[in-house]
Amino acid sequence: MIHPTPLNGQNILIIDDVQAPRKMLKRLLFDFVEIHVIECDSVSTAQNKLLHHRFNILFIDVVLPDSSGLELIRLIRDGNCGETNKKRSYHYHVF
């Protein structure tokens, strides 16, 4: 059953190189809210998605094959990822 929550209608990016946690998180979120989820398995893929989409929430694994999730957070925070020169506010959930 979908419940009204502040998450309804949000765009979420899940970044994890292991498929099982991505699918589990996506399934858990879909059970409770109407959201749009995109999944990535690397920092480079996530950077590409951040260039072309606006996300409200990012779930980022710490250990990724081509860099760390913490490095990705630094890139985003410093404005070096996503739309050029546009700082955005994100809720970071690192798992």
PDB file of all heavy atoms in Angstrom, residues 14-19 22 40-47 60-72:
ATOM      1  N   ILE A  14      20.341   5.393  -6.741  1.00  0.00           N
ATOM      2  CA  ILE A  14      20.986   4.391  -5.893  1.00  0.00           C
ATOM      3  C   ILE A  14      22.271   3.967  -6.585  1.00  0.00           C
ATOM      4  O   ILE A  14      22.247   3.496  -7.725  1.00  0.00           O
ATOM      5  CB  ILE A  14      20.077   3.164  -5.688  1.00  0.00           C
ATOM      6  CG1 ILE A  14      18.743   3.576  -5.040  1.00  0.00           C
ATOM      7  CG2 ILE A  14      20.791   2.111  -4.832  1.00  0.00           C
ATOM      8  CD1 ILE A  14      17.728   2.451  -4.957  1.00  0.00           C
ATOM      9  N   ILE A  15      23.397   4.131  -5.892  1.00  0.00           N
ATOM     10  CA  ILE A  15      24.703   3.813  -6.465  1.00  0.00           C
ATOM     11  C   ILE A  15      25.349   2.715  -5.624  1.00  0.00           C
ATOM     12  O   ILE A  15      25.724   2.941  -4.471  1.00  0.00           O
ATOM     13  CB  ILE A  15      25.616   5.053  -6.506  1.00  0.00           C
ATOM     14  CG1 ILE A  15      24.891   6.214  -7.190  1.00  0.00           C
ATOM     15  CG2 ILE A  15      26.931   4.729  -7.210  1.00  0.00           C
ATOM     16  CD1 ILE A  15      25.435   7.566  -6.831  1.00  0.00           C
ATOM     17  N   ASP A  16      25.448   1.530  -6.190  1.00  0.00           N
ATOM     18  CA  ASP A  16      26.078   0.388  -5.526  1.00  0.00           C
ATOM     19  C   ASP A  16      26.524  -0.584  -6.602  1.00  0.00           C
ATOM     20  O   ASP A  16      25.781  -0.831  -7.554  1.00  0.00           O
ATOM     21  CB  ASP A  16      25.082  -0.286  -4.579  1.00  0.00           C
ATOM     22  CG  ASP A  16      25.753  -1.259  -3.608  1.00  0.00           C
ATOM     23  OD1 ASP A  16      26.742  -1.919  -4.004  1.00  0.00           O
ATOM     24  OD2 ASP A  16      25.287  -1.367  -2.468  1.00  0.00           O
ATOM     25  N   ASP A  17      27.738  -1.113  -6.476  1.00  0.00           N
ATOM     26  CA  ASP A  17      28.250  -2.033  -7.488  1.00  0.00           C
ATOM     27  C   ASP A  17      27.671  -3.439  -7.348  1.00  0.00           C
ATOM     28  O   ASP A  17      27.820  -4.260  -8.246  1.00  0.00           O
ATOM     29  CB  ASP A  17      29.782  -2.077  -7.468  1.00  0.00           C
ATOM     30  CG  ASP A  17      30.349  -2.454  -6.120  1.00  0.00           C
ATOM     31  OD1 ASP A  17      29.797  -1.975  -5.105  1.00  0.00           O
ATOM     32  OD2 ASP A  17      31.331  -3.203  -6.072  1.00  0.00           O
ATOM     33  N   VAL A  18      26.984  -3.716  -6.246  1.00  0.00           N
ATOM     34  CA  VAL A  18      26.360  -5.021  -6.039  1.00  0.00           C
ATOM     35  C   VAL A  18      24.855  -4.870  -6.279  1.00  0.00           C
ATOM     36  O   VAL A  18      24.199  -4.026  -5.669  1.00  0.00           O
ATOM     37  CB  VAL A  18      26.627  -5.553  -4.615  1.00  0.00           C
ATOM     38  CG1 VAL A  18      25.989  -6.910  -4.416  1.00  0.00           C
ATOM     39  CG2 VAL A  18      28.134  -5.620  -4.355  1.00  0.00           C
ATOM     40  N   GLN A  19      24.332  -5.697  -7.166  1.00  0.00           N
ATOM     41  CA  GLN A  19      22.940  -5.556  -7.582  1.00  0.00           C
ATOM     42  C   GLN A  19      21.942  -5.844  -6.458  1.00  0.00           C
ATOM     43  O   GLN A  19      20.918  -5.167  -6.346  1.00  0.00           O
ATOM     44  CB  GLN A  19      22.653  -6.473  -8.773  1.00  0.00           C
ATOM     45  CG  GLN A  19      21.254  -6.304  -9.316  1.00  0.00           C
ATOM     46  CD  GLN A  19      20.993  -7.185 -10.522  1.00  0.00           C
ATOM     47  OE1 GLN A  19      21.760  -8.071 -10.856  1.00  0.00           O
ATOM     48  NE2 GLN A  19      19.888  -6.931 -11.181  1.00  0.00           N
ATOM     49  N   ARG A  22      20.952  -2.877  -4.249  1.00  0.00           N
ATOM     50  CA  ARG A  22      20.207  -1.891  -5.054  1.00  0.00           C
ATOM     51  C   ARG A  22      18.762  -2.331  -5.212  1.00  0.00           C
ATOM     52  O   ARG A  22      17.828  -1.541  -5.017  1.00  0.00           O
ATOM     53  CB  ARG A  22      20.830  -1.725  -6.440  1.00  0.00           C
ATOM     54  CG  ARG A  22      22.144  -1.001  -6.471  1.00  0.00           C
ATOM     55  CD  ARG A  22      22.537  -0.580  -7.885  1.00  0.00           C
ATOM     56  NE  ARG A  22      22.227  -1.505  -8.946  1.00  0.00           N
ATOM     57  CZ  ARG A  22      23.086  -2.330  -9.524  1.00  0.00           C
ATOM     58  NH1 ARG A  22      24.346  -2.363  -9.136  1.00  0.00           N
ATOM     59  NH2 ARG A  22      22.699  -3.131 -10.505  1.00  0.00           N
ATOM     60  N   CYS A  40      22.744   2.805 -10.415  1.00  0.00           N
ATOM     61  CA  CYS A  40      24.070   2.848 -11.043  1.00  0.00           C
ATOM     62  C   CYS A  40      24.983   1.885 -10.304  1.00  0.00           C
ATOM     63  O   CYS A  40      24.807   1.641  -9.115  1.00  0.00           O
ATOM     64  CB  CYS A  40      24.676   4.246 -10.935  1.00  0.00           C
ATOM     65  SG  CYS A  40      23.794   5.500 -11.830  1.00  0.00           S
ATOM     66  N   ASP A  41      26.007   1.388 -11.025  1.00  0.00           N
ATOM     67  CA  ASP A  41      26.940   0.459 -10.393  1.00  0.00           C
ATOM     68  C   ASP A  41      28.356   1.008 -10.283  1.00  0.00           C
ATOM     69  O   ASP A  41      29.275   0.294  -9.901  1.00  0.00           O
ATOM     70  CB  ASP A  41      26.952  -0.876 -11.140  1.00  0.00           C
ATOM     71  CG  ASP A  41      27.396  -0.734 -12.584  1.00  0.00           C
ATOM     72  OD1 ASP A  41      27.708   0.383 -13.029  1.00  0.00           O
ATOM     73  OD2 ASP A  41      27.418  -1.769 -13.275  1.00  0.00           O
ATOM     74  N   SER A  42      28.548   2.294 -10.603  1.00  0.00           N
ATOM     75  CA  SER A  42      29.886   2.891 -10.512  1.00  0.00           C
ATOM     76  C   SER A  42      29.777   4.402 -10.396  1.00  0.00           C
ATOM     77  O   SER A  42      28.734   4.994 -10.696  1.00  0.00           O
ATOM     78  CB  SER A  42      30.714   2.537 -11.755  1.00  0.00           C
ATOM     79  OG  SER A  42      30.160   3.179 -12.892  1.00  0.00           O
ATOM     80  N   VAL A  43      30.871   5.015  -9.982  1.00  0.00           N
ATOM     81  CA  VAL A  43      30.920   6.473  -9.875  1.00  0.00           C
ATOM     82  C   VAL A  43      30.802   7.117 -11.254  1.00  0.00           C
ATOM     83  O   VAL A  43      30.078   8.095 -11.432  1.00  0.00           O
ATOM     84  CB  VAL A  43      32.216   6.930  -9.161  1.00  0.00           C
ATOM     85  CG1 VAL A  43      32.418   8.428  -9.284  1.00  0.00           C
ATOM     86  CG2 VAL A  43      32.175   6.526  -7.696  1.00  0.00           C
ATOM     87  N   SER A  44      31.474   6.548 -12.252  1.00  0.00           N
ATOM     88  CA  SER A  44      31.425   7.146 -13.593  1.00  0.00           C
ATOM     89  C   SER A  44      30.007   7.118 -14.162  1.00  0.00           C
ATOM     90  O   SER A  44      29.550   8.089 -14.775  1.00  0.00           O
ATOM     91  CB  SER A  44      32.401   6.455 -14.536  1.00  0.00           C
ATOM     92  OG  SER A  44      32.123   5.076 -14.630  1.00  0.00           O
ATOM     93  N   THR A  45      29.289   6.023 -13.936  1.00  0.00           N
ATOM     94  CA  THR A  45      27.897   5.948 -14.387  1.00  0.00           C
ATOM     95  C   THR A  45      27.042   6.956 -13.630  1.00  0.00           C
ATOM     96  O   THR A  45      26.184   7.624 -14.205  1.00  0.00           O
ATOM     97  CB  THR A  45      27.331   4.528 -14.195  1.00  0.00           C
ATOM     98  OG1 THR A  45      28.177   3.597 -14.852  1.00  0.00           O
ATOM     99  CG2 THR A  45      25.932   4.413 -14.750  1.00  0.00           C
ATOM    100  N   ALA A  46      27.271   7.076 -12.331  1.00  0.00           N
ATOM    101  CA  ALA A  46      26.515   8.029 -11.513  1.00  0.00           C
ATOM    102  C   ALA A  46      26.774   9.467 -11.986  1.00  0.00           C
ATOM    103  O   ALA A  46      25.845  10.270 -12.074  1.00  0.00           O
ATOM    104  CB  ALA A  46      26.896   7.883 -10.047  1.00  0.00           C
ATOM    105  N   GLN A  47      28.027   9.789 -12.303  1.00  0.00           N
ATOM    106  CA  GLN A  47      28.338  11.136 -12.789  1.00  0.00           C
ATOM    107  C   GLN A  47      27.566  11.440 -14.067  1.00  0.00           C
ATOM    108  O   GLN A  47      27.055  12.541 -14.234  1.00  0.00           O
ATOM    109  CB  GLN A  47      29.842  11.279 -13.024  1.00  0.00           C
ATOM    110  CG  GLN A  47      30.626  11.366 -11.739  1.00  0.00           C
ATOM    111  CD  GLN A  47      32.121  11.405 -11.994  1.00  0.00           C
ATOM    112  OE1 GLN A  47      32.672  10.512 -12.627  1.00  0.00           O
ATOM    113  NE2 GLN A  47      32.765  12.434 -11.487  1.00  0.00           N
ATOM    114  N   ILE A  60      24.367   6.090  -1.630  1.00  0.00           N
ATOM    115  CA  ILE A  60      25.684   5.846  -2.222  1.00  0.00           C
ATOM    116  C   ILE A  60      26.461   4.834  -1.390  1.00  0.00           C
ATOM    117  O   ILE A  60      26.674   5.042  -0.187  1.00  0.00           O
ATOM    118  CB  ILE A  60      26.490   7.158  -2.319  1.00  0.00           C
ATOM    119  CG1 ILE A  60      25.688   8.230  -3.063  1.00  0.00           C
ATOM    120  CG2 ILE A  60      27.839   6.908  -2.996  1.00  0.00           C
ATOM    121  CD1 ILE A  60      26.319   9.608  -3.025  1.00  0.00           C
ATOM    122  N   ASP A  61      26.903   3.769  -2.034  1.00  0.00           N
ATOM    123  CA  ASP A  61      27.795   2.799  -1.400  1.00  0.00           C
ATOM    124  C   ASP A  61      29.153   3.472  -1.217  1.00  0.00           C
ATOM    125  O   ASP A  61      29.556   4.321  -2.013  1.00  0.00           O
ATOM    126  CB  ASP A  61      27.918   1.576  -2.309  1.00  0.00           C
ATOM    127  CG  ASP A  61      28.681   0.429  -1.680  1.00  0.00           C
ATOM    128  OD1 ASP A  61      28.990   0.502  -0.470  1.00  0.00           O
ATOM    129  OD2 ASP A  61      28.961  -0.543  -2.395  1.00  0.00           O
ATOM    130  N   VAL A  62      29.876   3.096  -0.181  1.00  0.00           N
ATOM    131  CA  VAL A  62      31.186   3.693   0.064  1.00  0.00           C
ATOM    132  C   VAL A  62      32.238   3.110  -0.868  1.00  0.00           C
ATOM    133  O   VAL A  62      33.049   3.836  -1.448  1.00  0.00           O
ATOM    134  CB  VAL A  62      31.612   3.507   1.537  1.00  0.00           C
ATOM    135  CG1 VAL A  62      33.031   3.991   1.758  1.00  0.00           C
ATOM    136  CG2 VAL A  62      30.654   4.242   2.459  1.00  0.00           C
ATOM    137  N   VAL A  63      32.245   1.787  -1.042  1.00  0.00           N
ATOM    138  CA  VAL A  63      33.257   1.121  -1.855  1.00  0.00           C
ATOM    139  C   VAL A  63      32.672   0.821  -3.232  1.00  0.00           C
ATOM    140  O   VAL A  63      31.744   0.024  -3.361  1.00  0.00           O
ATOM    141  CB  VAL A  63      33.743  -0.185  -1.176  1.00  0.00           C
ATOM    142  CG1 VAL A  63      34.789  -0.866  -2.038  1.00  0.00           C
ATOM    143  CG2 VAL A  63      34.286   0.104   0.209  1.00  0.00           C
ATOM    144  N   LEU A  64      33.223   1.467  -4.247  1.00  0.00           N
ATOM    145  CA  LEU A  64      32.781   1.280  -5.628  1.00  0.00           C
ATOM    146  C   LEU A  64      33.987   0.943  -6.493  1.00  0.00           C
ATOM    147  O   LEU A  64      35.126   1.270  -6.127  1.00  0.00           O
ATOM    148  CB  LEU A  64      32.068   2.540  -6.131  1.00  0.00           C
ATOM    149  CG  LEU A  64      30.747   2.842  -5.400  1.00  0.00           C
ATOM    150  CD1 LEU A  64      30.344   4.283  -5.590  1.00  0.00           C
ATOM    151  CD2 LEU A  64      29.667   1.901  -5.897  1.00  0.00           C
ATOM    152  N   PRO A  65      33.790   0.311  -7.643  1.00  0.00           N
ATOM    153  CA  PRO A  65      34.928  -0.187  -8.417  1.00  0.00           C
ATOM    154  C   PRO A  65      35.858   0.886  -8.988  1.00  0.00           C
ATOM    155  O   PRO A  65      37.051   0.655  -9.107  1.00  0.00           O
ATOM    156  CB  PRO A  65      34.277  -0.984  -9.552  1.00  0.00           C
ATOM    157  CG  PRO A  65      32.877  -0.517  -9.625  1.00  0.00           C
ATOM    158  CD  PRO A  65      32.517  -0.047  -8.256  1.00  0.00           C
ATOM    159  N   ASP A  66      35.340   2.055  -9.304  1.00  0.00           N
ATOM    160  CA  ASP A  66      36.184   3.051  -9.961  1.00  0.00           C
ATOM    161  C   ASP A  66      36.526   4.252  -9.097  1.00  0.00           C
ATOM    162  O   ASP A  66      37.288   5.119  -9.512  1.00  0.00           O
ATOM    163  CB  ASP A  66      35.538   3.512 -11.278  1.00  0.00           C
ATOM    164  CG  ASP A  66      34.136   4.060 -11.098  1.00  0.00           C
ATOM    165  OD1 ASP A  66      33.547   3.850 -10.016  1.00  0.00           O
ATOM    166  OD2 ASP A  66      33.622   4.676 -12.036  1.00  0.00           O
ATOM    167  N   SER A  67      36.005   4.328  -7.896  1.00  0.00           N
ATOM    168  CA  SER A  67      36.292   5.399  -6.951  1.00  0.00           C
ATOM    169  C   SER A  67      35.510   5.081  -5.689  1.00  0.00           C
ATOM    170  O   SER A  67      34.886   4.027  -5.594  1.00  0.00           O
ATOM    171  CB  SER A  67      35.882   6.754  -7.531  1.00  0.00           C
ATOM    172  OG  SER A  67      36.319   7.809  -6.691  1.00  0.00           O
ATOM    173  N   SER A  68      35.520   5.993  -4.739  1.00  0.00           N
ATOM    174  CA  SER A  68      34.730   5.748  -3.524  1.00  0.00           C
ATOM    175  C   SER A  68      33.475   6.611  -3.537  1.00  0.00           C
ATOM    176  O   SER A  68      33.429   7.671  -4.180  1.00  0.00           O
ATOM    177  CB  SER A  68      35.559   6.067  -2.279  1.00  0.00           C
ATOM    178  OG  SER A  68      35.648   7.458  -2.081  1.00  0.00           O
ATOM    179  N   GLY A  69      32.471   6.160  -2.804  1.00  0.00           N
ATOM    180  CA  GLY A  69      31.262   6.944  -2.664  1.00  0.00           C
ATOM    181  C   GLY A  69      31.532   8.270  -1.988  1.00  0.00           C
ATOM    182  O   GLY A  69      30.912   9.291  -2.303  1.00  0.00           O
ATOM    183  N   LEU A  70      32.494   8.278  -1.070  1.00  0.00           N
ATOM    184  CA  LEU A  70      32.841   9.530  -0.393  1.00  0.00           C
ATOM    185  C   LEU A  70      33.468  10.527  -1.363  1.00  0.00           C
ATOM    186  O   LEU A  70      33.211  11.736  -1.279  1.00  0.00           O
ATOM    187  CB  LEU A  70      33.792   9.247   0.776  1.00  0.00           C
ATOM    188  CG  LEU A  70      33.189   8.376   1.887  1.00  0.00           C
ATOM    189  CD1 LEU A  70      34.237   8.044   2.933  1.00  0.00           C
ATOM    190  CD2 LEU A  70      31.983   9.040   2.506  1.00  0.00           C
ATOM    191  N   GLU A  71      34.259  10.041  -2.291  1.00  0.00           N
ATOM    192  CA  GLU A  71      34.839  10.920  -3.311  1.00  0.00           C
ATOM    193  C   GLU A  71      33.732  11.492  -4.201  1.00  0.00           C
ATOM    194  O   GLU A  71      33.770  12.666  -4.571  1.00  0.00           O
ATOM    195  CB  GLU A  71      35.873  10.182  -4.158  1.00  0.00           C
ATOM    196  CG  GLU A  71      36.520  11.038  -5.225  1.00  0.00           C
ATOM    197  CD  GLU A  71      37.230  12.273  -4.702  1.00  0.00           C
ATOM    198  OE1 GLU A  71      37.695  12.273  -3.549  1.00  0.00           O
ATOM    199  OE2 GLU A  71      37.308  13.268  -5.454  1.00  0.00           O
ATOM    200  N   LEU A  72      32.748  10.673  -4.535  1.00  0.00           N
ATOM    201  CA  LEU A  72      31.626  11.164  -5.329  1.00  0.00           C
ATOM    202  C   LEU A  72      30.892  12.276  -4.576  1.00  0.00           C
ATOM    203  O   LEU A  72      30.534  13.299  -5.157  1.00  0.00           O
ATOM    204  CB  LEU A  72      30.665  10.028  -5.674  1.00  0.00           C
ATOM    205  CG  LEU A  72      29.407  10.437  -6.442  1.00  0.00           C
ATOM    206  CD1 LEU A  72      29.749  11.088  -7.785  1.00  0.00           C
ATOM    207  CD2 LEU A  72      28.493   9.236  -6.647  1.00  0.00           C
TER     208      LEU A  72
END
